[in-house]
Amino acid sequence: MTPRRRRSAGGGRRAQRNEAARLTEQLLDAGFNKKQVGEILGRNPSLVSQFFTKNKGASMVEALRAVVQEVQAGGPRDVTSLKALAAGYVRPRLNKAGYKARVRRPAVLRAEKTVRDRKGRPVIGDDGKPAKTWSSSLARAGRQHIASGASRLRPVVEDAARFGGKIGFTVRARKGAFKHDAGRIADSPGLRRNVVQRRDGTEERAYADNRGGPGSGEEGFDGREFKAMVDAAGGDVAAAVQRWLVDNDRIEPGTPIVGLEIRAWMPRED
């Protein structure tokens, strides 16, 4: 029989791994896990796995090398310290044209805060853990999701209505469809008016119920009133927003919305 060919001492998958994977391997050998490595780099742990499976991570090599050197030199091993160190080395990902690539943001976010008593101590719930209450929600929808009813936007509106929160939104539509010039106070009083213009001829504008005008801050729509407006539109948040824009002379009737972000938050108690 022909003898089996032996693998070379440095062969196998480990030898074929890219630099990001090899450096990550050293951190794993030092006792870290992929979730911690992701936190140190300020990235999702799934990206760390792709160092090994999809040959990714070239932009993270310098940061990983700095972290590995810090660990091997006996420096701080806590994630917070290593994350601060890595932040100075992480390079933004570039697209094929050589420009900074856009970072995909989560489509849905929901935040809670710990309930505290008058002395600032956490209130403990029946389960023995600190009680938490809703503080903010955010959801985004693109053209296709809006066309199908934008169901992920509805929970944000329901949170604001349930907890007495406020709502603001950013809408994206065809540039020529907006009735006010970009940046005019009459279009969006008291809000950020740095209109975001897109290459496809659309632009984004932010709105809220700022009856106090400039300098009043983002007052936002009353959550319960906004929910009633959405209910009147059959639960379609995008349709309700479009109706508000038309009724308040902000946009031409029939203009399709191609992007929508709904923000809800609990007002601060003064």
Side-chain angles (χ1 to χ4, degrees):
M1 291 181 62
T2 304
R4 292 183 179 180
R5 183 177 298 176
R6 293 184 178 181
R7 294 182 179 179
S8 60
R13 286 190 173 182
R14 183 181 290 258
Q16 297 173 3
R17 289 174 178 166
N18 63 17
E19 185 66 12
R22 285 195 291 268
L23 291 167
T24 300
E25 188 73 44
Q26 293 182 52
L27 291 176
L28 297 179
D29 292 342
F32 295 91
N33 56 43
K34 290 183 179 180
K35 180 180 179 180
Q36 291 173 320
V37 174
E39 292 177 359
I40 290 169
L41 297 175
R43 296 292 189 271
N44 191 291
S46 63
L47 176 62
V48 179
S49 295
Q50 292 176 28
F51 295 170
F52 300 86
T53 61
K54 297 185 178 181
N55 203 38
K56 293 188 176 183
S59 63
M60 301 292 166
V61 169
E62 292 183 15
L64 284 167
R65 186 175 290 118
V67 172
V68 169
Q69 290 175 352
E70 183 75 5
V71 171
Q72 292 179 344
R77 292 176 58 94
D78 61 286
V79 172
T80 302
S81 299
L82 294 176
K83 183 176 181 179
L85 172 65
Y89 294 90
V90 173
R91 293 186 289 109
R93 184 172 62 86
L94 303 180
N95 56 25
K96 293 181 180 180
Y99 296 101
K100 182 178 179 181
R102 292 181 60 189
V103 177
R104 292 182 181 180
R105 300 175 294 174
V108 180
L109 295 171
R110 191 178 190 276
E112 296 179 327
K113 64 179 180 180
T114 301
V115 179
R116 299 183 181 277
D117 60 21
R118 294 182 178 180
K119 295 184 178 180
R121 296 172 301 189
V123 175
I124 304 302
D126 296 336
D127 58 358
K129 298 179 180 179
K132 294 183 179 294
T133 184
W134 173 82
S135 61
S136 66
S137 295
L138 179 149
R140 303 181 180 91
R143 188 193 305 266
Q144 292 182 341
H145 194 61
I146 289 173
S148 64
S151 58
R152 73 166 65 108
L153 302 179
R154 178 76 186 201
V156 177
V157 177
E158 293 176 345
D159 277 343
R162 184 183 306 114
F163 298 105
K166 298 290 186 179
I167 286 180
F169 61 83
T170 297
V171 63
R172 179 178 174 188
R174 180 171 52 83
K175 181 178 179 180
F178 291 96
K179 289 193 172 184
H180 295 280
D181 293 336
R184 286 191 60 186
I185 292 179
D187 183 52
S188 189
L191 295 185
R192 52 177 180 168
R193 291 187 297 278
N194 52 325
V195 177
V196 179
Q197 298 185 350
R198 302 288 186 176
R199 293 182 179 179
D200 61 358
T202 63
E203 63 184 33
E204 296 178 359
R205 299 195 185 188
Y207 297 95
D209 191 22
N210 275 46
R211 299 174 184 176
S216 62
E218 190 170 23
E219 296 178 11
F221 299 93
D222 178 82
R224 297 181 180 88
E225 293 179 2
F226 197 91
K227 183 178 182 298
M229 186 171 67
V230 171
D231 290 340
D236 190 327
V237 180
V241 168
Q242 187 179 46
R243 181 76 267 165
W244 183 90
L245 292 169
V246 172
D247 290 347
N248 288 274
D249 203 34
R250 297 297 199 276
I251 205 169
E252 295 289 347
T255 300
I257 294 176
V258 299
L260 182 61
E261 175 186 282
I262 300 291
R263 303 178 300 278
W265 66 95
M266 179 63 70
R268 293 180 60 182
E269 297 180 1
D270 297 328

